[in-house]
Amino acid sequence: MFDRGVLFVGTAGVGLGVLAEVIAIDELRQVGRDLPLRIYSATTHEDSTIDTALQRAMARLPLDSAGSGLKPLGLYAFAGAPRIDHVVMIDGTLPRSIKLALGSNLDVRTWDMQTAEVHKLAPGQRVVRYLELASRLRPRIADLVTELTALDGINGESIAHSA
């Protein structure tokens, strides 16, 4: 049984939660051991697609995004959805209704990554900004992984993600 479910939520509607998810999975793999974390991603925008510039940036890093996709945040509030223990909001706040649906013991964090205007840039500029964002996200995600795996200790469980 996995110990902790972590949900990265992008609020720009371009796939920033997916970027955080694949960085987190990459970070877990670099540790070289199986850790008790389940990693997921979502967006607060219902009708969104992953920005092609973001896809190009992930390919350049390279980050394996196979199996990851943009999912609406509301899916995690339904019965039968994976249990979420920690939510990381990228540039936004968790809607109150979702917070209530996910439970009272939910750990919610907001990371101000200043991404609000990225979608207005030209495609090449967006790729550069997403690469910069990835370099700023990675140490925060590494710290989060360290913190969460230290809570209960490593118990030999596998990594899981939203694939």
Side-chain angles (χ1 to χ4, degrees), residues 16-91:
L16 297 178
V18 173
L19 175 63
E21 175 188 15
V22 296
I23 290 172
I25 292 167
D26 188 60
E27 194 64 36
L28 289 169
R29 288 183 177 138
Q30 287 187 26
V31 171
R33 296 179 288 189
D34 291 337
L35 301 173
L37 296 176
R38 293 170 290 129
I39 308 295
Y40 304 99
S41 65
T43 181
T44 57
H45 292 257
E46 295 296 320
D47 296 322
S48 299
T49 58
I50 297 177
D51 185 353
T52 56
L54 180 58
Q55 291 173 333
R56 289 191 348 226
M58 287 191 292
R60 284 179 60 182
L61 288 173
L63 290 170
D64 180 10
S65 60
S68 297
L70 205 54
K71 294 167 288 306
L73 178 58
L75 288 178
Y76 292 94
F78 287 118
R83 188 187 84 218
I84 302 299
D85 303 294
H86 309 275
V87 174
V88 177
M89 298 297 300
I90 301 172
D91 290 332

Side-chain angles (χ1 to χ4, degrees), residues 77-147:
F78 287 118
R83 188 187 84 218
I84 302 299
D85 303 294
H86 309 275
V87 174
V88 177
M89 298 297 300
I90 301 172
D91 290 332
T93 58
L94 184 64
R96 182 173 160 77
S97 61
I98 300 293
K99 185 174 182 177
L100 291 172
L102 293 178
S104 61
N105 292 328
L106 186 67
D107 169 38
V108 181
R109 302 161 191 228
T110 300
W111 291 353
D112 180 13
M113 303 306 289
Q114 302 173 351
T115 60
E117 301 296 316
V118 174
H119 68 281
K120 295 180 180 178
L121 298 173
Q125 292 173 314
R126 289 198 318 270
V127 170
V128 170
R129 287 291 302 277
Y130 292 139
L131 290 170
E132 292 169 354
L133 175 62
S135 70
R136 289 186 291 133
L137 276 172
R138 186 171 285 279
R140 293 186 90 162
I141 291 170
D143 289 346
L144 180 68
V145 166
T146 299
E147 174 191 341

